Amino acid sequence: MAELSASTTTTDERSEPIDDSATNRRLRAQYAEIARLAGGLAHEIKNPLSTMSLNLDLLVEDFQGAETPRDRRVLQKLVRVRKETGRLNDIVEDFLRFARVQDLKVEPSDLNAVVDDLRDFCEPQAMGQGIVIRSQYDPDLPMVPLDVDLFKQALWNLVRNAHHAMPDGGDLMLQTRLEGDFAVLDITDTGVGMTPDVAAKVFDAFYSTKPGGSGLGLPTTRKIVEAHGGSIALQSEPGQGSRFTVRLPLSSE
C-alpha cells in the first residue's frame, strides 16, 4: 500500500542560521490567535443556532397530527429544516473541537491501556456491524507522555473512520510497538480502502466522502497527534483496506 504522510517538510536555502525556537513560538502564537478567533466565531454561530433548533422543535410539535394538506406540507418542511439545523450544529461542535487543540496536559501514560480502554468502549458497536477488533500490544512499551482524554478523541476518530470503511463487517487490528525513541500505534482495517486522490485529502479540513460528514474528524486527529510532537501516516489501496500509523515521542520535550 502506498504511504501518505500527514507531516510536511520545508527547505530553507539561506546560509544564515535559523532560530527554530523563535519561529516556532511565533507560529504557535499566530495559530493560538487564529484558533481563538475561530472558536469565538463558532460560539457566536452556535448560540442563535440553538435558539433556532428549540423553536423548530416547538413548531414541529404544534403541527404534529396535521390534518390539512397545507399543514402536512408545512410539517414536512419544518422537519427538513430541523434536520439541517441539527447537521449545522454538529459541524459547529466538530469545528470547536478542531479549534481547541492547543495546550496539552500530558502525563506519563500506558499507551497499551489507553488503546485497550478504547477497544472496550467500541467493541459492542463493532460487533453489531460484524467487525472483529483484534489487538497486539508490545508488553515492553515504555510510558508515553499523553493528554489521555484528548488522545482518546483522536483514536475514536480513527476507529470510527474504520467502521465507516467496513459497512459489511471485517477485521480491525490495533497494534503497538517500539521504534527507537517512538511508540508506534497501527490501526489497520480490511475495509474498502481509498484511491490515491482520496487518501491525499483525508487530513484536509472539511473534506469528507461521507454524506453529512463534517470533514473534521481526521484533521482533528492529526492536530492532536502533532500537538503531542508525533506524526500520523496513511497507507491505503482500494479494496485492500487502510492502515493509519501514529508515531509518538517517548519524551515530552
Side-chain angles (χ1 to χ4, degrees):
M1 291 186 288
E3 181 172 348
L4 293 160
S5 175
S7 59
T8 57
T9 303
T10 58
T11 303
D12 195 315
E13 298 179 352
R14 296 175 301 177
S15 58
E16 62 268 21
I18 301 172
D19 186 349
D20 289 334
S21 60
T23 300
N24 288 337
R25 286 195 298 271
R26 177 176 56 81
L27 291 175
R28 278 198 295 268
Q30 290 176 350
Y31 165 72
E33 177 65 11
I34 293 171
R36 185 185 67 80
L37 292 173
L41 176 60
H43 270 298
E44 291 300 316
I45 295 173
K46 185 173 175 58
N47 290 335
L49 202 58
S50 298
T51 302
M52 290 170 57
S53 181
L54 175 61
N55 281 278
L56 284 168
D57 288 342
L58 294 174
L59 285 170
V60 168
E61 184 178 335
D62 288 343
F63 278 88
Q64 288 294 343
E67 297 179 356
T68 67
R70 174 185 174 277
D71 286 353
R72 285 194 289 270
R73 288 195 300 271
V74 171
L75 178 61
Q76 289 176 350
K77 292 176 181 177
L78 287 172
V79 169
R80 192 177 302 121
V81 173
R82 184 177 64 174
K83 180 180 178 182
E84 291 303 309
T85 303
R87 191 173 75 85
L88 285 174
N89 187 70
D90 290 342
I91 292 173
V92 172
E93 288 285 356
D94 287 345
F95 181 78
L96 283 172
R97 281 191 287 269
F98 179 76
R100 286 171 182 156
V101 180
Q102 298 179 50
D103 297 328
L104 307 183
K105 298 177 181 178
V106 300
E107 58 183 7
S109 306
D110 184 342
L111 179 61
N112 292 338
V114 172
V115 176
D116 211 46
D117 282 346
L118 185 76
R119 171 182 174 162
D120 288 343
F121 175 76
C122 298
E123 204 149 33
Q125 180 182 349
M127 292 175 63
Q129 289 185 230
I131 296 173
V132 177
I133 302 181
R134 309 181 192 278
S135 57
Q136 183 177 340
Y137 304 137
D138 184 343
D140 300 320
L141 198 66
M143 301 292 277
V144 180
L146 292 176
D147 183 319
V148 172
D149 291 338
L150 201 58
F151 189 70
K152 281 184 176 179
Q153 179 186 329
L155 292 185
W156 167 238
N157 288 337
L158 292 173
V159 170
R160 184 171 54 178
N161 185 80
H163 284 188
H164 287 303
M166 297 184 286
D168 300 320
D171 289 341
L172 177 62
M173 172 62 81
L174 307 174
Q175 183 178 18
T176 62
R177 65 183 190 275
L178 183 65
E179 284 188 2
D181 294 329
F182 289 86
V184 180
L185 168 64
D186 289 322
I187 299 178
T188 308
D189 67 64
T190 58
V192 296
M194 308 177 202
T195 65
D197 287 345
V198 171
K201 298 176 184 177
V202 293
F203 293 109
D204 293 346
F206 301 110
Y207 176 80
S208 177
T209 59
K210 297 186 292 290
S214 67
L216 288 171
L218 291 179
T220 300
T221 292
R222 181 179 68 173
K223 284 186 65 177
I224 292 172
V225 170
E226 291 181 347
H228 281 83
S231 64
I232 183 169
L234 167 63
Q235 293 175 281
S236 188
E237 289 183 11
Q240 300 297 317
S242 301
R243 175 185 298 134
F244 287 91
T245 298
V246 176
R247 292 170 55 86
L248 297 165
L250 298 178
S251 170
S252 60
E253 296 179 2

